[in-house]
Amino acid sequence: MIAPTRRLLGALMLAAPLGLTALSPANAAPANFVVAWAASVQGPYPVGNPTAQPELRFAFPDPAKGASDQTFRLVVRPDIWGKQARIRLSNAFGTKPVTFDAVHIGLQQSGSAILAGTNRPVSFHAKTSITIAPGKSVVSDPVTLPFVKNPDDKMLIGRRLAVSFHVAGDSGPMTWHAKALTTSYISPPNSGAKSPDEAEQAFPYSSTSWYFLDALDMSAPPGTKAIVAFGDSITDGTASTINGDDRWPDVFARRVHALYGSGYSVVNAGIGGGMVIGPADYATKPFAGGPAATDRLDRDVISLSGVGAVIWLEGINDFGNAGAKPDDVANGVRDIVKRLRARIPGVRVFMATLTSSLNSNNGGYGAPAIDEKRRTYNQFIRTAGIFDGVIDFDTTTFDAKTGELKAEFQPNSSVGGPGDKLHPNRAGYQAMGLSIDPRAIVTK
């Protein structure tokens, strides 16, 4: 359900290329690129909120040492396809330079195996290795994907790419995205560069997180636009399925494509535990929820390629975790909306109301005082007049008899059990994704 609060603007405009300008490859192709997958980074590992994470002490015996002469095979699902791709590797939360080499991209067959003949080498400034300084990110050169004959081929819908790269030496603290809800693969420490291998034998360890990789672009016709879902764990997908692509942005994306084909890409920039205005000292005291939205906006939204709209759901952790006041969080929202409009010409910003956490067993989130803050903040969202529309997730998921999430939205779809009355499950996320009218978001 979307309530317009401003006159909807015209066609979504394209933003700056993926990554900060200074980090773009010198020989970037003239093709138009749009972000097709994203995962907002946090860290360093293991600071974060992964779901159903396997034991990783054999893959990473010493988190401070990080990855050691080993290869990652990260599995990602592009929301749209193109004949060329490029990736962004990040050392945003590292403390030492990290060297990546033997970078490849290919079609996942299943597990850690790659479909024979699809694994393509990726270069950086025409070189096969790249060293990334602490706090920096680097975008690859475009790589041709010969298996993409027609980007609109329906047989590509839902297919996954395997992005493989070798970490030379020790990485030190690793930049990562904890809650992938997708299985990726890791070779043992000191096993060398295994990226060219198409078989599964070199990758015995699995993880439900992503490491170092935070964005993937696809070449796309001019006018193709990206919609970024920005927020916390309810956008990241906590309590949804593993490998099911059942987060609310996934549901919404499928509806967008049913109406508009590959004219729009929907990507997820949620971080489980994220806040609008906190924490204030993430750089020195890493927090499982990642940096504040006010701090990560440039990297996780503005720098992505082709951004034309943002759907934002965030604030419950500011109240339930940090005890923030609704007015302070609202001021943080106002600041971010101003920055988005100043940096991305023509961007359209949609804000979602917070879902109930009343009676949650997750920390202090279930307290009536938190629910009162949530209601006050939702009233701000509905009446502020600074958004292009309001998405009323609260109404969609609210049980008027109990004040809680609807009972059928409570049981956990990731690991089973009754749920925490804070995070919706697959059914709840489906209802949320179905409540958004794609035509209101992409109206031209």
Side-chain angles (χ1 to χ4, degrees), residues 215-353:
L216 179 144
D217 277 2
M218 287 288 180
S219 58
T224 306
K225 308 156 184 78
I227 302 168
V228 179
F230 190 46
D232 54 28
S233 57
I234 296 178
T235 296
D236 211 6
T238 296
S240 183
T241 60
I242 306 296
N243 293 314
D245 299 320
D246 289 316
R247 313 162 189 86
W248 72 256
D250 299 319
V251 176
F252 172 65
R254 288 189 281 271
R255 299 185 69 221
V256 169
H257 298 312
L259 288 173
Y260 301 104
S262 58
Y264 299 89
S265 170
V266 180
V267 300
N268 194 321
I271 295 181
M275 301 186 203
V276 175
I277 59 173
D281 54 353
Y282 184 83
T284 57
K285 297 178 181 178
F287 160 72
T294 49
D295 293 337
R296 70 185 185 93
L297 182 70
D298 282 9
R299 177 178 58 247
D300 294 345
V301 180
I302 292 172
S303 72
L304 298 178
S305 302
V307 174
V310 176
I311 302 175
W312 187 13
L313 169 65
E314 198 161 33
I316 194 63
N317 295 312
D318 293 81
F319 306 136
N321 194 327
K325 298 177 181 179
D327 285 350
D328 292 338
V329 181
N331 287 336
V333 169
R334 289 189 179 95
D335 173 66
I336 284 179
V337 171
K338 289 179 182 177
R339 289 167 58 191
L340 284 169
R341 297 197 189 283
R343 296 285 301 281
I344 308 177
V347 70
R348 300 169 64 220
V349 182
F350 298 84
M351 198 73 187
T353 54

Side-chain angles (χ1 to χ4, degrees), residues 38-58:
S40 300
V41 291
Q42 59 194 110
Y45 167 86
V47 180
N49 292 308
T51 294
Q53 184 77 283
E55 174 61 64
L56 291 177
R57 61 190 174 94
F58 300 104

Side-chain angles (χ1 to χ4, degrees), residues 56-358:
L56 291 177
R57 61 190 174 94
F58 300 104
F60 309 125
D62 182 357
K65 190 176 180 180
S68 298
D69 182 27
Q70 60 197 118
T71 302
F72 292 78
R73 178 154 288 170
L74 305 183
V75 176
V76 304
R77 181 181 58 82
D79 197 54
I80 60 173
W81 288 84
K83 293 186 176 182
Q84 288 186 309
R86 63 186 188 186
I87 65 172
R88 185 169 74 182
L89 295 176
S90 176
N91 192 22
F93 300 107
T95 59
K96 59 181 287 187
V98 181
T99 297
F100 301 93
D101 58 24
V103 183
H104 283 65
I105 185 169
L107 271 179
Q108 182 197 28
Q109 177 175 303
S110 64
S112 58
I114 291 176
L115 189 65
T118 67
N119 206 21
R120 307 291 294 176
V122 179
S123 63
F124 296 81
H125 303 282
K127 297 181 179 179
T128 59
S129 68
I130 185 71
T131 299
I132 305 178
K136 301 297 183 180
S137 301
V138 174
V139 181
S140 76
D141 302 331
V143 56
T144 297
L145 305 178
F147 49 86
V148 180
K149 306 297 184 184
N150 175 9
D152 294 321
D153 184 351
K154 292 183 178 180
M155 295 301 292
L156 289 171
I157 296 174
R159 290 300 303 262
R160 298 173 186 261
L161 286 172
V163 179
S164 307
F165 52 83
H166 171 244
V167 173
D170 297 338
S171 69
M174 295 187 293
T175 295
W176 72 324
H177 180 88
K179 195 183 300 294
L181 296 173
T182 301
T183 306
S184 290
Y185 304 91
I186 310 159
S187 74
N190 303 310
S191 59
K194 302 298 182 182
S195 304
D197 294 4
E198 294 178 335
E200 63 183 88
Q201 288 89 333
F203 299 91
Y205 304 128
S206 64
S207 173
T208 55
S209 303
W210 290 304
Y211 304 81
F212 300 110
L213 179 71
D214 76 339
L216 179 144
D217 277 2
M218 287 288 180
S219 58
T224 306
K225 308 156 184 78
I227 302 168
V228 179
F230 190 46
D232 54 28
S233 57
I234 296 178
T235 296
D236 211 6
T238 296
S240 183
T241 60
I242 306 296
N243 293 314
D245 299 320
D246 289 316
R247 313 162 189 86
W248 72 256
D250 299 319
V251 176
F252 172 65
R254 288 189 281 271
R255 299 185 69 221
V256 169
H257 298 312
L259 288 173
Y260 301 104
S262 58
Y264 299 89
S265 170
V266 180
V267 300
N268 194 321
I271 295 181
M275 301 186 203
V276 175
I277 59 173
D281 54 353
Y282 184 83
T284 57
K285 297 178 181 178
F287 160 72
T294 49
D295 293 337
R296 70 185 185 93
L297 182 70
D298 282 9
R299 177 178 58 247
D300 294 345
V301 180
I302 292 172
S303 72
L304 298 178
S305 302
V307 174
V310 176
I311 302 175
W312 187 13
L313 169 65
E314 198 161 33
I316 194 63
N317 295 312
D318 293 81
F319 306 136
N321 194 327
K325 298 177 181 179
D327 285 350
D328 292 338
V329 181
N331 287 336
V333 169
R334 289 189 179 95
D335 173 66
I336 284 179
V337 171
K338 289 179 182 177
R339 289 167 58 191
L340 284 169
R341 297 197 189 283
R343 296 285 301 281
I344 308 177
V347 70
R348 300 169 64 220
V349 182
F350 298 84
M351 198 73 187
T353 54
L354 300 185
T355 57
S356 177
S357 64
L358 186 65

Side-chain angles (χ1 to χ4, degrees), residues 239 246 397 408-411 413 424-434:
D246 289 316
T397 60
E408 63 268 32
F409 296 165
Q410 293 180 14
S413 298
N425 59 13
R426 180 188 182 275
Y429 289 131
Q430 183 183 63
M432 291 164 69
L434 292 175

